[in-house]
Amino acid sequence: MDNKHFYITTPIYYPSGKLHIGHAYCTVATDAMARYKRLCGYDVMFLTGTDEHGQKIEDKAKEAGVTPQQFVDNIVAAPGGVLDLWKLMNVSYDRFIRTTDEYHVAAIQKIFKKMYGNGDIYKGSYKGKYCKPCESFWTESQLVDGKCPDCGREVVDAEEEAYFFRASKYAGRVRDLLLNTDFLEPKSRVNEMVNNFIDCEGGLQDLCVSRTSFTWGVPVGFDPGHVVYVWLDALFNYMTALGYQNGKYNDLEKFWPADVHFVGKEIVRFHAIYWPAFLMSLDLPLPKKVYGHGWLNFNGDKMSKSKGNVVDPHLLSERYGVDALRFFLLRTFPFGSDGNFTNELLIQTINTDLANDLGNLVSRTTAMAEKYFGGRLPEARQTNPELDEGLIAQVSALRDQYEGQMEKYQFQNALELVFKAVQRANKYIDENAPWALAKDMEANGTRLGTVLYHLLETVRICTILLTPFMPESCEKIFQQTGADASCQTWDSAAEWGVLPAGVTVRKGENLFPRIDMAQELEELGRIQEEAKKAALPAVAIEPQLEEKVDFETFCKSDFRAVKVKDCQRVKKSDKLLKFTLDDGTGTDRQILSGIAKWYNPEDLIGKTLIAIVNLPPRKMMGQESQGMLISAVHTEKGEEALNLLMVDDKIPAGAKLC
Ligand code: MSP
């Protein structure tokens, strides 16, 4: 039974902004693979999730004025966020892990301690070049033109006390794994890894696995100033999500080692070098395979939010349907290589494969079954070897050939085989000219019925094999062609003649309408240009309440009613107003407030306001401010608006608020 389990993973995503079609690429491929394996009868575990720690997230949260936890909570669940996109793309994951999940955090602490305990993690000090966005330290020799070799951005000098993982100890075993097994695919990625990171000058370097320069991470349990390096934290998700070092799950025996990790090419280094080395250190079985897929570019350029050329999966699936988009991604680009996304290619693929070939085959066949046989599938009683054998042989051999390609993750080739069969069936229609046969039903009715049966049987088998790629559309095709569950199985895809005569065939909705290329290109171009201008807004951050403070701390804040004795603009500042206030002490209090945009100074004289009076004084434009006036800040017609808190004039100056 053991071989009937299949464990597949995607990378866990950084919840740092809106995801684009490049992000969806890997997850859609993983989904197609998971669905295919389920179809073959495997008990599948498809894991995905989010990688939520690290300096990048800490910085972004600060920018948004929320805590890192609030930031990631929002963005994971927000419209356009990870969960939303996977739902839209019909991604059938079995488990979703967040690296901030308590069970994962606790497990990472144990793992770190174990590796420290066995001597593979030791304390040292790190001096090197640091790429902040990638959260990677590099040696001088690894830099490309003095910049980060992964992302090409500036690096900075950095030094910190840190823990190191003895990667060097495992260099030989990892090298052997890469060169002498099928662990890493496609093979083209192997040499790059070995040459650049193992057989390079100085050999495989020990890896810095803790940080002290920020706090948003898993704390090293026995040395609280340190947080665990985000990649060690993230890579172990593949095992903690099955229950490694935690009691939340109990699936290790069933699913570990993973059958395959699908990852993008720029993170192959972490998965093919450090991940096996970590596992070797803990004496754990290694995953069977890491598959490094290529990148999707847009019009020949790297997709990037800052360039404003990211392709929005929401927009495309709204216009063409989710299945068409899923299909396009896996039909057009060989999984192991880079692909160039263009709008033309997308529309052309939809028109050629889906509208012309598949859509036409289904609609012509079902329409003829309705028209000539009242929607009842006839029997195949009059075969004509010369006309039929080619089609039947091709379609009967299809499943096994398809399987061969799917097992190698060659989605493009698997789909090519199916579409060869679809095209063959369309040709079969022309060769048999059913409309001519239909002119004399008495003489040719049996042959016509046979032709239709062969066509519907071809549609059935092709539809089974397309289900992992286009689940919803295939479901509709099964309904239109009368194929019930027993005619949708993997076994039945290798058998000709399973669809029982007599089932009801109905011409339904047109599943893949043809798109007017010129008109659509213009429209899409316009929309994408607009989005570029707007530089794709990030996922909206919901308003959040501040972090909690304890009661005692709160009580230390001294809020008082104050009366405005005088108010004037501060010279050379278009923001500041200077208030002279009666705070009930007998001595005037001066407060500066950046509210000139909303108030005329003279309108405020005589008003009773609220101020916090025990803040340390600070200088603004060379003048001292002794506290802060309290206002309500909100948004009005998309603009920031502000109202000073004014209270009843009967409240005396100096009255304490509590
Ligand atoms: N958090 C890490 C993964 C940790 S796995 C233990 C990460 N996250 S990511 O959000 O930046 O990227 C997730 C995946 O999206 C990566 O595999 C990356 O290669 C992929 N892609 C991002 N842009 C892409 C394209 N334009 N094309 C194809 N895949 C790309 O890396």
Side-chain angles (χ1 to χ4, degrees), residues 72-368:
V72 292
D73 284 353
N74 258 320
I75 221 155
V76 168
V82 188
L83 288 173
D84 191 36
L85 182 59
W86 298 162
K87 189 163 172 217
L88 172 84
M89 299 303 293
N90 203 358
V91 172
S92 62
Y93 58 82
D94 297 292
R95 194 160 290 169
F96 192 95
I97 183 169
R98 299 180 56 181
T99 54
T100 52
D101 287 339
E102 259 173 53
Y103 74 92
H104 173 82
V105 170
I108 293 299
Q109 290 186 313
K110 287 191 201 159
I111 290 165
F112 197 93
K113 201 168 161 200
K114 251 177 136 116
M115 287 159 88
Y116 182 70
N118 72 18
D120 277 349
I121 285 181
Y122 63 93
K123 200 168 187 175
S125 128
Y126 201 95
K127 214 172 174 180
K129 304 283 176 189
Y130 188 63
C131 174
K132 216 168 160 185
C134 293
E135 299 181 14
S136 291
F137 268 105
W138 301 97
T139 59
E140 196 83 49
S141 65
Q142 287 172 325
L143 301 180
V144 177
D145 299 331
K147 305 218 167 105
C148 171
D150 271 356
C151 72
R153 279 178 275 212
E154 294 293 336
V155 289
V156 290
D157 284 315
E159 181 172 8
E160 57 185 56
E161 181 193 75
Y163 286 92
F164 285 82
F165 169 69
R166 265 183 230 287
S168 54
K169 178 173 158 189
Y170 298 99
R173 280 177 69 190
V174 172
R175 187 175 187 280
D176 184 50
L177 177 74
L178 293 176
L179 289 174
N180 301 323
T181 72
D182 292 332
F183 176 76
L184 175 60
E185 284 192 346
K187 282 275 175 242
S188 54
R189 307 215 181 272
V190 170
N191 282 343
E192 186 197 334
M193 286 299 121
V194 174
N195 295 343
N196 293 354
F197 302 106
I198 303 179
D199 289 351
C200 56
E201 209 187 308
L204 180 60
Q205 305 284 309
D206 288 355
L207 179 74
C208 180
V209 287
S210 78
R211 298 283 184 267
T212 49
S213 51
F214 60 91
T215 55
W216 182 238
V218 177
V220 173
F222 55 88
D223 197 347
H226 291 254
V227 291
V228 176
Y229 177 42
V230 71
W231 271 103
L232 191 149
D233 167 8
L235 284 162
F236 272 100
N237 92 87
Y238 301 132
M239 286 194 76
T240 59
L242 297 181
Y244 182 62
Q245 297 293 330
N246 68 82
K248 170 127 175 129
Y249 297 110
N250 189 18
D251 294 313
L252 275 169
E253 208 178 306
K254 199 161 154 194
F255 290 114
W256 192 258
D259 290 274
V260 63
H261 297 308
F262 277 180
V263 302
K265 63 177 183 178
E266 88 289 11
I267 57 173
V268 164
R269 178 168 73 105
F270 294 100
H271 286 82
I273 295 183
Y274 300 115
W275 180 221
F278 290 155
L279 294 169
M280 287 171 188
S281 162
L282 294 171
D283 226 354
L284 291 165
L286 307 182
K288 292 179 201 157
K289 194 173 298 298
V290 169
Y291 195 96
H293 66 78
W295 270 53
L296 283 193
N297 298 321
F298 184 58
N299 291 339
D301 215 359
K302 188 174 164 186
M303 255 182 239
S304 112
K305 205 163 118 185
S306 51
K307 284 188 195 154
N309 68 348
V310 294
V311 178
D312 180 3
H314 290 265
L315 168 74
L316 298 182
S317 51
E318 213 169 85
R319 295 183 84 78
Y320 316 119
V322 170
D323 278 350
L325 189 55
R326 289 171 56 108
F327 172 78
F328 167 71
L329 291 176
L330 300 176
R331 162 75 164 135
T332 315
F333 310 111
F335 193 47
S337 326
D338 287 352
N340 188 26
F341 188 110
T342 66
N343 293 337
E344 283 96 326
L345 201 53
L346 170 65
I347 297 166
Q348 192 188 319
T349 307
I350 295 176
N351 279 348
T352 309
D353 289 342
L354 297 183
N356 277 6
D357 290 352
L358 181 63
N360 245 341
L361 175 64
V362 175
S363 65
R364 285 160 96 190
T365 310
T366 49
M368 287 191 285

Side-chain angles (χ1 to χ4, degrees), residues 497-564:
V498 169
L499 196 61
V503 296
T504 306
V505 180
R506 252 175 284 115
K507 181 171 162 28
E509 60 172 309
N510 184 359
L511 294 173
F512 307 106
R514 224 189 129 69
I515 302 165
D516 181 325
M517 172 78 96
Q519 198 185 323
E520 186 63 19
L521 278 181
E522 202 183 310
E523 178 74 0
L524 257 190
R526 193 185 54 72
I527 297 172
Q528 280 163 346
E529 203 46 45
E530 266 169 30
K532 196 170 175 175
K533 275 189 211 135
L536 273 178
V539 174
I541 302 286
E542 304 278 316
Q544 285 288 340
L545 298 179
E546 296 291 340
E547 236 180 309
K548 292 194 174 48
V549 289
D550 59 58
F551 188 64
E552 261 176 44
T553 312
F554 168 73
C555 288
K556 288 183 189 154
S557 314
D558 194 355
F559 291 98
R560 302 275 172 166
V562 289
K563 296 214 184 268
V564 182

Side-chain angles (χ1 to χ4, degrees), residues 577-626:
L577 295 184
K578 180 169 79 176
F579 289 82
T580 307
L581 302 161
D582 174 2
D583 63 2
T585 59
T587 311
D588 286 349
R589 176 178 291 271
Q590 174 170 297
I591 291 185
L592 279 85
S593 182
I595 59 168
K597 186 172 157 194
W598 294 281
Y599 287 100
N600 285 324
E602 52 275 20
D603 296 343
L604 295 171
I605 296 171
K607 301 284 186 209
T608 307
L609 309 178
I610 301 298
I612 176 161
V613 296
N614 62 339
L615 290 175
R618 63 182 185 130
K619 284 244 164 103
M620 297 158 96
M621 299 293 282
Q623 310 215 33
E624 187 170 276
S625 180
Q626 303 158 326

